Amino acid sequence: MKGVFDVTFQSALDVFNYGLVLIYGLFLSVSIAGGCTEKRDKKLVALLCPVFLVLQSLFALTLGTDKTMQLYPLIVHLPLVLILTLALKKPLGVAVVSTCTAYLCCQPLRWGKNAVEALTGSMLAADIAYIVLLVGVFWLCERFLVKAAYATMTYSRWTLLLFGSLPVTYYIFDYATTVYSNALYSNVLIISEFLPTVLVTFYILFLPAFYLETQKRAAAEMQRSMLTMELEQSQLEMDALHRMETQTAVYQHDMRHHLNMLDGLLSAGKPGQAQEYIKGVQADIEAITPRRFCENQLVNLLCSSYTDKAQRQGTVLTVEARLPDALTISDTELCSLLSNGLENALRAVKELPPERRTVSLYCGVQRNKLLIEITNPCGEAVTMKDGLPVSDRGAGHGYGCLSIQTIARRNGGLCEFSCGGGQFRLQVMLPVLENRE
């Protein structure tokens, strides 16, 4: 009677472990694939557990355990991949790799069970250890593996291929050598050495490739941050220019007070002081009044500001602007284009002889195309890389040209940096409309 009880208890424990590992693999596969947030999807995943358990039980009762293990990929793994792809909307590659990764994570459970059985000689102790390991490994995977695996798989197609190569290879190898044959235990050297070779190859290939991918992503993130800062700086410049414009309006509004002052000086017989006062008022107005180059107020403010800046460094800035008041390109992007282009040009001629310190700007609209051209002399040949001039000021510089290129592409336009005949030239063409809806 005792022996019958032991067999029955052992069989029940085996069935219990069999169900646990199914739930373990199912939920781990879904988690590695990115999980699910919708209530409907969570219900579907929960429903899969009893459905798969019933299917496995039916196959085991009708075909036997060995045959069921051979059909396991068709009974569980393939349907799980299809559900992840079709119902949970996961990419096919992510679904396959997630399922194989969850299968790979079952290996520590089997190793631990075999180790306990070898040490204790008790199948019962091995099964209990299996349950404890299952809970522990699942917690560790949820805590440390799931997010990292999903981030790696979705990082790029290349990292998905690299990351997925190991679990997929292990899945195929394990079924081919232990389920569909007994090749792994046949003492064939090439088979026993295959998996360690795959592990080493995976390690050697994955780390350098993933490092390069992270470097590319970090560079792209840095460029994006720098471009964001460029646009924010353009916004600050625009705000400053608008404040200057407001100050001019206030000064003009106070003109009647200046006239009253002049009237008082003249009435008091002090024409000399009146003349000095007029000169002071004129100087103040000229210092804050933006010049008018075209109908676009932003361009007037920018060109006035850079004309004054050029004059202070002994450079002649020639402006030919023919822009309407309204353009489809945003004021922030237009400000960034002109500010970066003029800033680079003024910096380029700053160290040249006085007679060569000249910069010319043309901007106008022709056939619904915004054309911008900035030309300046250059002292020596400019090094170009990927169509952009290379900054000679070291790392962290040169983002002005990149910002110009990015804005041009974002708006469906073109930009070109060229150097020839002692002249450096920036040309930008953007499709714009003169009137906004």
Side-chain angles (χ1 to χ4, degrees):
M1 186 70 180
K2 184 178 178 181
V4 174
F5 177 79
D6 290 341
V7 172
T8 304
F9 180 77
Q10 183 64 58
S11 301
L13 194 57
D14 289 340
V15 173
F16 181 73
N17 284 350
Y18 194 69
L20 276 183
V21 77
L22 171 66
I23 298 172
Y24 168 90
L26 174 61
F27 280 97
L28 193 56
S29 298
V30 174
S31 295
I32 294 173
C36 51
T37 56
E38 297 293 332
K39 190 174 181 180
R40 178 187 66 85
D41 295 339
K42 292 180 179 179
K43 287 182 178 179
L44 174 62
V45 174
L47 181 63
L48 289 177
C49 294
V51 170
F52 282 151
L53 283 172
V54 170
L55 281 176
Q56 289 181 77
S57 301
L58 291 175
F59 274 90
L61 290 173
T62 56
L63 300 178
T65 304
D66 292 340
K67 196 65 175 179
T68 301
M69 288 298 297
Q70 294 178 356
L71 294 175
Y72 203 83
L74 297 178
I75 300 172
V76 176
H77 296 151
L78 180 59
L80 180 56
V81 169
L82 293 176
I83 290 169
L84 288 173
T85 306
L86 301 177
L88 301 185
K89 307 301 180 183
K90 308 296 182 182
L92 179 60
V94 171
V96 172
V97 173
S98 299
T99 303
C100 292
T101 303
Y103 183 82
L104 180 64
C105 292
C106 292
Q107 182 60 29
L109 309 179
R110 291 186 290 188
W111 186 90
K113 179 181 178 180
N114 293 335
V116 171
E117 185 180 2
L119 291 173
T120 64
S122 172
M123 191 64 182
L124 177 61
D127 284 333
I128 294 174
Y130 189 81
I131 296 173
V132 174
L133 281 173
L134 186 144
V135 175
V137 172
F138 185 81
W139 181 85
L140 289 173
C141 289
E142 285 287 335
R143 180 70 174 81
F144 300 105
L145 173 68
V146 166
K147 290 183 179 179
Y150 181 73
T152 303
M153 289 189 297
T154 56
Y155 196 87
S156 68
R157 291 183 179 180
W158 178 237
T159 56
L160 172 63
L161 178 63
L162 281 174
F163 177 80
S165 62
L166 179 61
V168 171
T169 302
Y170 175 79
Y171 180 89
I172 296 172
F173 177 83
D174 192 53
Y175 265 91
T177 59
T178 63
V179 178
Y180 299 131
S181 72
N182 199 33
L184 184 61
Y185 311 109
S186 60
N187 294 324
V188 178
L189 182 62
I190 190 171
I191 295 177
S192 60
E193 292 293 335
F194 174 77
L195 195 56
T197 303
V198 170
L199 291 174
V200 173
T201 303
F202 169 81
Y203 183 80
I204 292 174
L205 292 177
F206 181 79
L207 286 183
F210 189 72
Y211 174 76
L212 291 176
E213 287 290 328
T214 54
Q215 289 294 99
K216 290 179 183 178
R217 179 66 63 89
E221 290 293 338
M222 184 174 68
Q223 289 181 0
R224 190 178 297 110
S225 298
M226 293 297 295
L227 293 177
T228 301
M229 292 174 60
E230 290 276 358
L231 291 177
E232 290 176 353
Q233 181 62 33
S234 297
Q235 184 64 51
L236 293 176
E237 291 180 10
M238 288 171 52
D239 293 341
L241 292 173
H242 285 307
R243 284 195 298 271
M244 184 177 69
E245 184 181 26
T246 302
Q247 186 179 358
T248 301
V250 171
Y251 211 99
Q252 291 173 341
H253 178 268
D254 292 342
M255 187 59 66
R256 59 189 178 88
H257 302 299
H258 300 307
L259 293 176
N260 289 334
M261 181 65 180
L262 290 173
D263 183 59
L265 291 173
L266 292 174
S267 298
K270 299 178 180 180
Q273 292 185 20
Q275 188 175 11
E276 291 298 322
Y277 188 82
I278 290 173
K279 290 180 180 179
V281 172
Q282 286 177 335
D284 291 342
I285 293 177
E286 289 177 359
I288 63 174
T289 302
R291 304 173 192 178
R292 183 174 177 83
F293 296 91
C294 61
E295 295 179 14
N296 191 284
Q297 193 62 23
L298 173 63
V299 174
N300 289 335
L301 293 171
L302 279 170
C303 291
S304 296
S305 175
Y306 277 96
T307 299
D308 294 339
K309 185 174 182 178
Q311 188 175 4
R312 289 194 296 271
Q313 76 171 43
T315 299
V316 177
L317 173 59
T318 305
V319 178
E320 182 182 354
R322 300 173 184 173
L323 290 177
D325 181 55
L327 296 167
T328 51
I329 183 175
S330 70
D331 288 344
T332 305
E333 290 180 319
L334 180 59
C335 177
S336 184
L337 283 176
L338 293 176
S339 296
N340 282 310
L342 290 172
E343 192 72 39
N344 290 339
L346 292 178
R347 186 184 299 112
V349 302
K350 189 174 182 179
E351 304 300 328
L352 295 180
E355 65 274 9
R356 296 194 64 198
R357 294 179 194 166
T358 60
V359 176
S360 65
L361 164 66
Y362 168 81
C363 51
V365 174
Q366 298 180 17
R367 297 182 180 180
N368 285 335
K369 299 290 189 298
L370 169 61
L371 305 178
I372 298 175
E373 182 176 271
I374 300 176
T375 307
N376 62 270
C378 52
E380 56 187 21
V382 178
T383 304
M384 306 289 288
K385 181 179 180 181
D386 298 329
L388 297 176
V390 177
S391 174
D392 59 358
R393 296 189 295 153
H397 299 284
Y399 285 101
C401 295
L402 180 61
S403 177
I404 293 172
Q405 184 186 68
T406 302
I407 292 172
R409 290 177 176 176
R410 184 187 300 158
N411 288 273
L414 301 171
C415 82
E416 182 180 83
F417 299 88
S418 59
C419 183
Q423 295 285 319
F424 183 83
R425 182 173 288 103
L426 162 64
Q427 294 173 306
V428 180
M429 182 185 72
L430 300 177
V432 296
L433 299 175
E434 297 188 12
N435 296 306
R436 288 175 174 150
E437 294 293 337

